[in-house]
Amino acid sequence: MRSSMLLALWVLGALGVSPSPDPEVDPPTEKSIPCSKGCTCHNDHYSSELNVYCSARNLTLIPADVPPSTHSLWLDGNLFTSLPAASFKDLSNLDFLNLQSGQLSVIDAQAFRGLRSLAHLHLERNRLRSLPTAVFQTTLALASLNLHNNQLMRIEEKLFAKLSSLWLLNLGWNSLAVLPEAAFQDLQGLRELVLAGNRLAYLQPQLFQGLTELRELDLTGNCLKVIKANVFLKLPKLQKLYLAQNQIVTVAPRAFVGMKSLRWLDLTNNRLNELHDETFLGLHSLHVLRLSNNSITNLRPRTFRDLQYLEELRLSHNRIRALGERIFEGLGHLEVLELEHNQIQEARMGTFLGLSHVAVINLSGSCFQNLPDQVFKGLSKLHSLHLDRSCLSRVSTQAFVGLTGLRRLFLQHNNISVVERQSFIDLQGLQQLDLRFNKLESMSSHTFYGLKNLDYLLLSGNLLQNLPPESLLPLKRLSWLDLSGNKLESLQNDTLQLLPRLRYLNLKDNAFSSLPSEMPESLDQLWLTGNLWRCDCSAQSLRDYSLSKPQVVPRQVETLMEGEEPHTVVSIFNNITCNSPPNVAGTDLRDISHEHFHNC
Ligand SMILES: *[C@@H]1O[C@H](CO)[C@@H](O)[C@H](O)[C@H]1NC(C)=O
Ligand SMILES: *[C@@H]1O[C@H](CO)[C@@H](O)[C@H](O)[C@H]1NC(C)=O
Ligand SMILES: *[C@@H]1O[C@H](CO)[C@@H](O)[C@H](O)[C@H]1NC(C)=O
Ligand SMILES: *[C@@H]1O[C@H](CO)[C@@H](O)[C@H](O)[C@H]1NC(C)=O
Ligand SMILES: *[C@@H]1O[C@H](CO)[C@@H](O)[C@H](O)[C@H]1NC(C)=O
Ligand SMILES: *[C@@H]1O[C@H](CO)[C@@H](O)[C@H](O)[C@H]1NC(C)=O
């Protein structure tokens, strides 16, 4: 798909025109150019080649008066249902013929007779169910042939015979269930073959033999169940192999052996439950390996050993239960390791050994019984670690040892009630720490020790009852502090003064009755709703502050609801509702009159 799009764009680029010329805005036809009646003609500025546009003209017949010198002819989006013999017989100069998005269901075997120069033929998005065997035998100069999105049920064995100049063949999104074993045998020049979106259940051993120039093979979305060892032999230049969305249960050991150039292998959304030690043998150029959404239960130590240039390994949505030692050994170039949504209960100290370049590890959505000490040691390039929704109940002192490059640590939605002293001490580069929705009841003065670059600290949805000022002392660069949804009743007077860069402070839904009298100058958002404000003299400074800074303490903010289509606007209130004394209970602090405070 991608390359055919590119091809189309390249062709368009070369022609210097837009894809579906609108009759109203077409440049006026120059008088001197001969043109087919009802069409628009245009001489290319650079090559002075003649382009004829008859797109979407409701034509029911191929125009008979197209000038013989025509170089490209656009007939897409018309109403003819068949192409009779010799439909283009005088167009021996034609290079590009676009017949896509029409109603074609019948093409005569001689329809393209005379198109000696034709290189690019678009027949996609029609209603073709079959093609006569000889139909392309009069257009042997074809370089790209697009037949995708038709209803082809079968391909004749000789349909592509002698098309040795063809480099793109797109047969995607048809109804092909079987291909003749020799269908592609003459296509020595083929670089891209798209067979995605068909019903292929079986690939014959001979099918791709001889395609020595092939760079990209797309078999996404078929019904393949088994990948045998002899199917992809002799594809030495293949770079991308797409096998996603099939029903593949088994990949034979050594199935990809000899694919020296393979950079991209996609097996997402299949039914693999096991990877053999030799499944990926010899893939020394592989950069991307996608195995997400399968049923893999186990990873063996030497499975990935040849993949020394792998940069991305996706194993999310599988059923992996344990991560043994050295399973990723050899992946010294790996940057992204996705393991989210597995059933991992156990990892070992040496699990991630050797991943010296890994930048992102996603382990969210598993259920660890515990995380061994020093399990991430040596991963000095790691910058994001996702451990959210992982059943963790404590963070131990040694858990994150060695993660000196870590910038983002996701620990939200666990069961963490204990963070041991100095657990984060190595994380001097950490910018974002997400501890939302855990079971934290208290912070000690050593909890955040070492986090001198922390910018975002998210603690909402815990059980915090107090926040000792010393605990925030290391956080000199903190700008965002979310404490909403805890059980805090107060903050000590100097707590916030320890955070000279604080811009955002969320105290919603706690049990606050009062706040320190001074707010940091740097603050530009303060959320206070859902607390138990005591609106006596102690609240006077908060009242003055919120009235003088309505931007910092807005009463209400309109925002777009995330993910909703169409977007709905919701109001977020920031009420400072008084809980006491009784005479003002229920009133917003900002609405209480000045006189109320005249005795203070
Ligand atoms: C083609 O036919 C449709 C339906 O009759 C009409 O709406 C449209 O304007 C026609 N287009 C041209 C270019 O004549
Ligand atoms: C994998 O499956 C999950 C759940 O069924 C789905 O949400 C996700 O989009 C799938 N991922 C891919 C890459 O297909
Ligand atoms: C990691 O997984 C979480 C949860 O599934 C997801 O939200 C996040 O985007 C993933 N991160 C990456 C880098 O893929
Ligand atoms: C959290 O811990 C409690 C008991 O401490 C347990 O019942 C619950 O299942 C745990 N939840 C998760 C998501 O691990
Ligand atoms: C905080 O400061 C105010 C005024 O400066 C004072 O009245 C109050 O007692 C102090 N509170 C605490 C807990 O130190
Ligand atoms: C906040 O105040 C507005 C009126 O200003 C009211 O409509 C809304 O229900 C209040 N919300 C809460 C949570 O008290």
Side-chain angles (χ1 to χ4, degrees), residues 317-330:
H317 293 274
N318 274 286
R319 298 189 190 150
I320 301 168
R321 292 204 198 91
L323 297 176
E325 278 174 44
R326 296 175 184 268
I327 48 180
F328 303 117
E329 202 171 27

Side-chain angles (χ1 to χ4, degrees), residues 491-493 516-517:
L491 292 178
Q492 287 183 36
N493 272 348
S517 51

